[in-house]
Amino acid sequence: MCGIGCVVTLCSQHAICDFNEDILCCLRRRGPDSSQQLIKTASDLSYECLFSGHVLHLRGLMTPQPLEDANNNIFLWNGEIFNGVRVGDLENDTEVMFRHLALCSSEADILSLFSSLRGPWSFIYYQASRHSLWFGRDYFGRRSLLWQFNNEVDSAFCLTSVSVYSKSGNQWQEVPACGIFKIDLKACATTKSLSLTLFPWKYSCTEIAVDKIFVNVLDQVSKQLPNHIPLVMNELKLCLRAPVIPLNKAVSEASGECPGTNISNVIHMVSVETLQGLLAEEHKKKLVHQFIDVLNEAVKRRVLSLFRGEDQKTREVPSMSHRKAHVAVLFSGGIDSMVIAALADKHVPLGEPIDLLNVAFMIKEQAKQKRTAKNHTNQEVQLDLLCPQESCKDLDGKPGVDLSCFDVPDRITGRAGLKELEAINPSRTWNFVEINVTLEELKKMRQQCINHLIYPLDTVLDDSIGCAIWFASRGEGFISNHGELKPYKSPAKVVLTGMGADEQLAGYSRHRVCFKKYGLEGLKKELEMELDRISSRNLGRDDRIIGDHGKEARFPFLDEDVVSFLNSLPISEKADLTLPRGIGEKLILRLAGMEVGLTASTVLPKRAVQFGSRIAKLESNSEKASDTCSRLKLFS
């Protein structure tokens, strides 16, 4: 993973502007292993480009960026090639991509190359022979890329992985993950004005006319651009091939089309036995195993595409002194993170620990008292029984600190999940990292850096999720050693996250509401919209947040093969919202969990990270998730 950036100026009278020091600092945090800058000047054409590359070394030989070849082409790459283009075990995928790009002799060749890639990416490519600047993000937008257009027509245009909040009129925005963009620098320098050409994504099997695709995407993106920046379709109407198949929109008559029917009247208990009963169907079990196979491969790619040293190909137990974690999981003990951890265990070398990062925000005293006094619902009682509360005295990392104030729901289910994983593989070292965040530290770190990483997003929901993921992925907390908590900081550079499971498998409460109102037809439309907007709602933000620690986010549920498999299934095979919470949502994943050896965690209902970690409502009880968050705007 890397931090990449580029500044373009179209006026030779203006000295090229550098990134301000705050942005450079953010880029260096993403890429702590190498930092370089390169200026490309075309004085006869009156344009200049500054390229800035900051590398986190994860694969092959260390490869500083920007890369420049003998033909003066320049390449910045923030991505991982997991499939589609061969990358040898000792090769660096940045160099492999650059070699392939240098062989491209036409726009169609470049689009064919990027269409073949499987994995997350954003890039900036200067094609010297044609004075062209290419840039973009992968189909799902799993890597961040922001742009900024100066109000002065002949001045700077900027791209960067991460920025800082600015009070000036030239705001940063996320580059839409709707295709690849190209700037003809020669033409723009001549007219002294910037113009963008778009090459959009298109399903290879779609019946929608190319002209309609262009009209829809151009209209959508143009609304986000300043008035003086025209966006045009490429002359040959070329498109990128989408790396996944379209969503199966089939709705069978027998699959709960009528929201009025509710099997929960028949099934009174949310139990493991219910899932076992469903697995007795041969067809269902076959689909579940197909899903496990494709998800297992996705996890395998993400835990093995990582430099571990000379013995990285062996699964032998290394000496004690070398036992450090290379892979961590954002871990709540819920079904998403449990399945990812269980599958990672199959491929991470046997002597290597896996870090389970579990974040909790201090419960307010009045909320803690209320929680202690109230009668739990049946489900809450189930959660408490999953993992009996350990003595706070035994768990104290520091004298006089009562850690029961961090016993949030995700901590309780996380401890229970740890026991399930230890039962699956007792020989694995599972580092359950208890990450405890006070209100004071939350305010301090938000003001210091988290607000810049969430930017340009700005809602209460972005604040809650962004802060929770930042503290979790930092990996600073405590692990238990013979009943005593000891300070620990996760050294893992790869962080696996369950993002994408809820969006594809009807995991959110809004999906159940939609189903009750509009049936499967309404749910189908809602799920189709979820993946369409995941780049702008979640993934750019999460990449900026996790990357700030010099770590790389990897998303197994958004592996192209996983998404295509799930898209191929009717919705009723993935989720059955006629069944109660804890069973019906993400049904195929719960069944997969059963088949890989999980137990009680397979019937835990979905709980969003902001509620499970208790960051939601910590500072204000009157906010809505969609409100603009005033705390993100507290700048001097």
Side-chain angles (χ1 to χ4, degrees):
M1 190 204 70
C2 305
I4 61 176
C6 176
V7 181
V8 177
T9 183
L10 301 176
C11 184
S12 57
Q13 279 79 38
H14 293 180
I16 192 160
C17 0
D18 197 348
F19 287 107
N20 73 41
E21 191 53 41
D22 289 335
I23 292 179
L24 282 175
C25 179
C26 288
L27 288 170
R28 287 189 204 108
R29 286 177 64 85
R30 289 178 63 86
D33 298 323
S34 168
S35 292
Q36 287 186 171
Q37 297 203 141
L38 174 66
I39 293 178
K40 179 60 60 178
T41 303
S43 51
D44 54 326
L45 296 174
S46 300
Y47 74 79
E48 280 188 315
C49 302
L50 166 73
F51 299 93
S52 189
H54 310 266
V55 177
L56 174 69
H57 179 219
L58 288 173
R59 296 172 72 179
L61 297 174
M62 172 65 197
T63 305
Q65 296 191 42
L67 285 178
E68 183 175 18
D69 66 15
N71 296 317
N72 298 315
N73 299 311
I74 297 170
F75 187 49
L76 289 165
W77 173 251
N78 175 26
E80 295 290 349
I81 301 175
F82 291 129
N83 219 333
V85 170
R86 188 182 180 282
V87 180
D89 289 342
L90 300 178
E91 285 188 301
N92 181 280
D93 60 346
T94 308
E95 287 189 325
V96 171
M97 266 304 291
F98 196 27
R99 283 202 308 270
H100 279 79
L101 275 171
L103 296 174
C104 294
S105 58
S106 66
E107 292 178 341
D109 288 345
I110 291 176
L111 298 186
S112 178
L113 173 62
F114 280 98
S115 296
S116 70
L117 298 182
R118 299 294 179 265
W121 48 264
S122 63
F123 79 99
I124 302 168
Y125 175 53
Y126 172 72
Q127 191 179 21
S129 62
R130 305 199 177 192
H131 299 280
S132 295
L133 187 75
W134 296 78
F135 60 93
R137 300 165 68 193
D138 74 75
Y139 184 78
F140 298 116
R142 288 165 288 187
R143 291 290 174 260
S144 172
L145 193 64
L146 309 177
W147 60 16
Q148 181 193 59
F149 303 91
N150 198 297
N151 286 335
E152 298 175 34
V153 175
D154 62 350
S155 193
F157 160 67
C158 304
L159 293 163
T160 180
S161 301
V162 61
S163 183
V164 292
Y165 178 80
S166 167
K167 286 185 178 177
S168 73
N170 304 322
Q171 297 301 311
W172 292 90
Q173 291 180 306
E174 292 188 332
V175 174
C178 58
I180 287 176
F181 296 87
K182 187 186 85 164
I183 299 174
D184 184 335
L185 294 171
K186 185 175 182 179
C188 291
T190 302
T191 61
K192 293 288 184 283
S193 64
L194 201 63
S195 174
L196 302 175
T197 302
L198 174 63
F199 301 82
W201 294 103
K202 168 184 169 298
Y203 288 122
S204 53
C205 58
T206 187
E207 296 174 3
I208 302 173
V210 172
D211 284 348
K212 187 173 181 183
I213 292 172
F214 271 106
V215 168
N216 291 342
V217 177
L218 288 175
D219 182 57
Q220 178 188 338
V221 178
S222 294
K223 289 175 183 174
Q224 304 172 34
L225 295 173
N227 293 332
H228 66 276
I229 307 292
L231 176 69
V232 298
M233 69 171 76
N234 65 85
E235 290 179 1
L236 297 177
K237 298 183 180 179
L238 300 172
C239 293
L240 294 142
R241 292 188 317 276
V244 297
I245 66 171
L247 183 70
N248 182 338
K249 299 178 183 178
V251 174
S252 66
E253 292 179 10
S255 58
E257 172 62 23
C258 174
T261 61
N262 197 327
I263 288 180
S264 62
N265 294 329
V266 180
I267 300 173
H268 300 291
M269 275 296 293
V270 175
S271 67
V272 170
E273 288 72 29
T274 303
L275 293 177
Q276 288 171 337
L278 291 169
L279 281 168
E281 295 177 40
E282 189 177 335
H283 169 71
K284 183 76 75 179
K285 189 161 187 168
K286 181 180 177 183
L287 279 183
V288 167
H289 277 271
Q290 288 174 345
F291 177 46
I292 291 170
D293 288 345
V294 73
L295 184 59
N296 182 51
E297 280 300 312
V299 172
K300 179 180 178 180
R301 284 192 278 268
R302 282 156 181 78
V303 302
L304 293 185
S305 297
L306 174 62
F307 185 73
R308 286 182 164 85
E310 291 183 10
D311 296 327
Q312 64 177 343
K313 291 185 182 178
T314 73
R315 298 244 308 157
E316 295 175 10
V317 178
S319 65
M320 289 295 289
S321 61
H322 290 104
R323 289 188 176 183
K324 76 168 191 174
H326 292 278
V327 173
V329 182
L330 293 186
F331 189 76
S332 66
I335 187 62
D336 309 354
S337 57
M338 286 292 290
V339 169
I340 287 175
L343 293 178
D345 175 57
K346 295 177 182 293
H347 307 292
V348 171
L350 295 176
E352 184 179 302
I354 295 176
D355 285 351
L356 307 173
L357 308 179
N358 182 273
V359 67
F361 291 82
M362 183 180 281
I363 303 168
K364 287 191 276 193
E365 193 58 36
Q366 59 267 37
K368 184 179 162 189
Q369 291 168 357
K370 185 178 176 184
R371 187 191 67 164
T372 306
K374 80 170 185 176
N375 292 322
H376 292 335
T377 62
N378 289 340
Q379 186 62 52
E380 291 292 337
V381 169
Q382 271 190 351
L383 295 186
D384 287 345
L385 290 174
L386 283 173
C387 184
Q389 178 57 52
E390 298 177 56
S391 163
C392 288
K393 290 179 183 176
D394 295 337
L395 288 172
D396 282 358
K398 297 175 184 176
V401 177
D402 179 8
L403 292 187
S404 66
C405 61
F406 294 109
D407 284 338
V408 301
D410 279 1
R411 180 60 48 82
I412 295 167
T413 54
R415 288 178 186 142
L418 171 66
K419 290 180 178 176
E420 285 190 40
L421 293 172
E422 287 173 336
I424 288 174
N425 187 355
S427 63
R428 167 81 62 194
T429 298
W430 299 96
N431 288 327
F432 182 70
V433 189
E434 300 192 15
I435 298 158
N436 301 326
V437 187
T438 64
L439 180 58
E440 291 71 28
E441 188 177 16
L442 169 62
K443 289 179 175 179
K444 175 186 172 186
M445 299 317 297
R446 178 197 286 124
Q447 183 82 27
Q448 194 170 308
C449 65
I450 300 173
N451 47 20
H452 296 301
L453 302 167
I454 293 172
Y455 176 76
L457 305 189
D458 62 0
T459 69
V460 169
L461 186 64
D462 291 316
D463 175 58
S464 295
I465 297 176
C467 289
I469 292 176
W470 189 88
F471 282 105
S473 56
R474 184 174 66 167
E476 286 187 17
F478 298 91
I479 58 174
S480 180
N481 188 352
H482 303 296
E484 183 182 356
L485 283 186
K486 303 227 167 173
Y488 179 80
K489 180 173 171 61
S490 172
K493 285 186 176 182
V494 166
V495 178
L496 301 178
T497 165
M499 176 59 66
D502 292 304
E503 286 78 3
Q504 297 180 81
L505 302 176
Y508 292 121
S509 57
R510 63 176 177 267
H511 296 143
R512 198 169 278 275
V513 171
C514 178
F515 177 71
K516 283 180 179 175
K517 282 186 178 179
Y518 308 111
L520 268 184
E521 192 62 42
L523 180 61
K524 174 198 72 180
K525 290 176 181 174
E526 188 74 13
L527 293 182
E528 189 173 24
M529 183 173 64
E530 291 285 8
L531 273 188
D532 286 345
R533 66 186 183 185
I534 196 170
S535 65
S536 57
R537 282 173 69 99
N538 303 86
L539 294 177
R541 176 200 65 208
D542 294 351
D543 176 61
R544 293 190 293 277
I545 290 285
I546 295 172
D548 188 58
H549 303 297
K551 299 173 186 283
E552 179 172 275
R554 294 186 177 177
F555 309 97
F557 289 108
L558 291 173
D559 179 274
E560 290 84 354
D561 291 344
V562 172
V563 175
S564 283
F565 174 77
L566 292 174
N567 277 359
S568 74
L569 301 179
I571 290 170
S572 55
E573 299 284 11
K574 297 180 279 190
D576 184 350
L577 299 189
T578 64
L579 297 172
R581 281 187 76 227
I583 296 281
E585 73 279 15
K586 299 189 281 196
L587 177 59
I588 193 171
L589 182 60
R590 296 178 186 282
L591 295 171
M594 288 286 298
E595 290 295 274
V596 298
L598 302 180
T599 53
S601 60
T602 59
V603 291
L604 290 177
K606 161 70 182 176
R607 190 192 296 109
V609 64
Q610 65 270 29
F611 301 117
S613 68
R614 285 296 188 256
I615 188 175
K617 310 293 184 184
L618 185 61
E619 293 165 278
S620 173
N621 286 315
S622 59
E623 299 171 321
K624 293 180 180 176
S626 58
D627 289 348
T628 298
C629 183
S630 59
R631 294 180 296 280
L632 294 175
K633 305 281 180 166
L634 298 177
F635 300 93
S636 54

